Amino acid sequence: MPNEAACPVNLELLGLLLRSAEERVVEIVDEQDPKQRARLAVFCFQRAHMRDMAVLVASRCDERTLRQADATIGEMLIEQVQERASKAKVSKSRITLARAA
């Protein structure tokens, strides 16, 4: 398709990412060049069924590189990564149980 953006990684690798657990996705993505990683996050974000993976990939990128890959989508990804991180901190808070006297 002429208007379709080219995938920044080969299709075999993209398929592997889509089938892998989060931990494996992180391992694979960390092996990629930072610019390619940011382009992959933007590419995934542009597809509704890949948004969760886009945020996961973006969490492995620095903000400057995300903005360089795409200013608008990069900003959205940065916000979503920050929201995800703050939710993770809230869910890790200690829970104490009342003691029976």
Side-chain angles (χ1 to χ4, degrees):
M1 287 187 208
N3 291 334
E4 187 69 20
C7 184
V9 297
N10 69 51
L11 295 180
E12 289 178 15
L13 181 59
L14 182 63
L16 177 62
L17 290 169
L18 290 170
R19 293 187 305 271
S20 297
E22 256 187 45
E23 297 81 20
R24 181 69 178 127
V25 171
V26 168
E27 290 174 9
I28 295 168
V29 166
D30 283 349
E31 295 172 0
Q32 305 302 311
D33 173 73
K35 289 180 182 180
Q36 185 177 27
R37 196 179 310 150
R39 288 192 307 266
L40 178 61
V42 168
F43 177 83
C44 292
F45 188 81
Q46 293 171 326
R47 287 143 185 85
H49 65 287
M50 293 189 207
R51 292 258 167 103
D52 289 337
M53 189 166 70
V55 175
L56 179 60
V57 172
S59 72
R60 312 305 293 175
C61 299
D62 65 77
E63 292 180 8
R64 188 177 124 266
T65 307
L66 281 171
R67 286 185 186 106
Q68 286 175 342
D70 187 291
T72 304
I73 293 175
E75 283 298 325
M76 288 188 277
L77 283 167
I78 291 165
E79 288 176 18
Q80 290 189 15
V81 166
Q82 291 169 346
E83 286 175 19
R84 182 178 177 184
S86 67
K87 286 179 184 177
K89 287 179 185 176
V90 169
S91 68
K92 289 183 182 181
S93 62
R94 291 185 63 169
I95 299 174
T96 58
L97 302 175
R99 296 183 186 207

